[in-house]
Amino acid sequence: MTNPLPTPEPAAAAETPESAATGTGPDATATDGAAPDDGRVPSPRQPGAPKRPTLRSDLRASWPDGLVALLITAAIFVLLYIRIRNKTSSTVTVMPFMAEAGDFWLYFLSQAFGWSALLWAWGTVILGLMLSGPRPGRLPLSGPRLERLHRTTSLNTIALIAAHALLFGAELVRHDTASWNSAVATAFVEALVPGGYDSGTGKIAIPIGQAALYLAIPLGLVFYVRHRIGQKTWRILHRCVIVVYVLSVWHTLLYGTNVWYDGWFRTSVWLLQLPIAALLLLRLLRPARRSEKLPSRPGATAGARTGWVLRVGGRLVVVAVLAALVAVVASGSDGGRSVPPEDTSSTHNHD
């Protein structure tokens, strides 16, 4: 097979979302039949009680947010296409053979979905942290509406991540000279099977993005069965969604051709992580649930002492991450490659 894409490609977010990045629902709500703190399944609703959100109802409610996501994706695609055509994008420096924008429009569309997925994952994490921690005094939307927006952005993040991955696979099929069934099989392995993509930086970056996608789907959808698995189990799973978001950002910084080199665009991606870290720290220091507040001293039992140490350790880790982000942004040392000289040959590779 002839593989036209031996080089990096930006985040999926999932690649995605909280991957996003893609949690659905706050840690506790007053409007969705939430179970008590001890993890018991809630009793049947009384007449007149609020209905529990369902996947069907949230899918119906997600179309305005999804339409905005598609419009943003279209705008990103146009911007990427124009920059490629004008040879002002760093993607052309990374992959000179893509200077003919019309030949690789499907790849650029995949890039656009990847960036919008990362943006939606970022927004989903922000909403989740606001809902599960201290909220600002004045918000443009009520608590229940923010909760629903959090869920719909989560669902749309998953859809954007999936579109990003599928379009990447479609581009591989489009430029494969083998028979269609062989091309589809090869593209499926390279785009969706961890370890299947074996070119350059993609050996690491593609599996990271795939991990974000495959974690985002179950962690995002488990909200809709939390009355079956118990509130306590759901909360534990939901907090793991932040891992999806970390994987998505990692995938972007490692493999995004738009942020491949040092510069303001790459630094901006790092800069966007500051509010995430700050809100996470605030959420840990001032949790909405009384049961999650850190006692002033360890408990008497070994289990209580272990829990206290873990909670303190978690807060210290987030403080360290926040300090590291500030240092990266302030110094400009963000892990990018040095831009090659203008007379570089077109054989620049990325191993």
Side-chain angles (χ1 to χ4, degrees):
M1 167 188 135
T2 301
N3 185 351
L5 305 172
T7 50
E9 193 294 273
E15 290 182 315
T16 263
E18 223 174 273
S19 284
T22 54
T24 48
D27 275 14
T29 72
T31 59
D32 59 6
D37 255 1
D38 59 7
R40 290 174 289 152
V41 177
S43 58
R45 295 190 307 271
Q46 299 298 321
K51 292 183 179 179
R52 178 186 296 118
T54 65
L55 179 58
R56 179 178 296 181
S57 66
D58 281 347
L59 284 172
R60 285 198 300 265
S62 68
W63 74 265
D65 176 69
L67 180 60
V68 173
L70 289 177
L71 292 174
I72 295 295
T73 303
I76 294 173
F77 171 72
V78 171
L79 178 62
L80 293 176
Y81 191 91
I82 291 175
R83 286 175 58 80
I84 292 291
R85 191 182 59 188
N86 295 340
K87 297 180 174 57
T88 57
S89 171
S90 60
T91 297
V92 178
T93 306
V94 177
M95 298 180 291
F97 62 90
M98 283 193 173
E100 295 298 328
D103 293 339
F104 296 96
W105 66 270
L106 202 56
Y107 179 78
F108 304 136
L109 185 59
S110 172
Q111 282 189 322
F113 271 99
W115 281 110
S116 59
L118 187 62
L119 178 61
W120 252 246
W122 182 87
T124 298
V125 175
I126 291 288
L127 287 170
L129 291 172
M130 289 176 60
L131 288 165
S132 60
R135 304 184 191 181
R138 293 183 180 181
L139 291 172
L141 296 176
S142 64
R145 288 190 176 185
L146 281 176
E147 291 164 8
R148 168 162 280 195
L149 181 61
H150 178 52
R151 298 195 303 270
T152 59
T153 55
S154 300
L155 294 174
N156 281 313
T157 298
I158 294 173
L160 292 168
I161 293 170
H164 169 66
L166 292 174
L167 285 168
F168 178 60
E171 175 72 340
L172 291 173
V173 172
R174 183 168 174 262
H175 284 88
D176 198 335
T177 57
S179 60
W180 72 268
N181 55 333
S182 175
V184 169
T186 301
F188 174 83
V189 170
E190 292 194 340
L192 298 173
V193 177
Y197 194 89
D198 60 358
S199 177
T201 310
K203 294 177 183 178
I204 299 174
I206 293 293
I208 290 173
Q210 290 164 340
L213 170 62
Y214 296 139
L215 286 174
I217 295 172
L219 290 177
L221 299 181
V222 74
F223 168 80
Y224 300 100
V225 295
R226 66 180 185 168
H227 59 289
R228 296 182 182 275
I229 65 175
Q231 187 82 350
K232 188 173 182 179
T233 301
W234 171 77
R235 285 202 304 270
I236 293 172
L237 292 173
H238 184 66
R239 288 164 187 164
C240 294
V241 176
I242 193 67
V243 175
V244 180
Y245 181 72
V246 171
L247 290 172
S248 301
V249 175
W250 188 7
H251 171 79
T252 302
L253 292 172
L254 186 63
Y255 209 53
T257 54
N258 311 100
V259 292
W260 184 264
Y261 297 114
D262 290 321
W264 69 268
F265 194 25
R266 184 180 181 91
T267 301
S268 297
V269 175
W270 283 96
L271 187 63
L272 285 173
Q273 310 320 312
L274 285 173
I276 298 285
L279 282 173
L280 179 58
L281 180 60
L282 186 62
R283 187 252 183 268
L284 292 174
L285 295 176
R286 296 172 56 194
R289 289 179 175 274
R290 290 190 301 271
S291 61
E292 295 178 1
K293 294 182 178 179
L294 182 68
S296 57
R297 62 185 63 185
T301 65
R305 287 194 296 270
T306 300
W308 188 87
V309 170
L310 290 175
R311 289 186 178 188
V312 171
R315 286 155 174 78
L316 292 176
V317 167
V318 176
V319 169
V321 169
L322 184 58
L325 288 172
V326 171
V328 166
V329 172
S331 67
S333 300
D334 50 20
R337 288 80 168 173
S338 298
V339 178
E342 292 184 2
D343 61 351
T344 184
S345 70
S346 62
T347 57
H348 180 69
N349 69 52
H350 316 284
D351 293 331

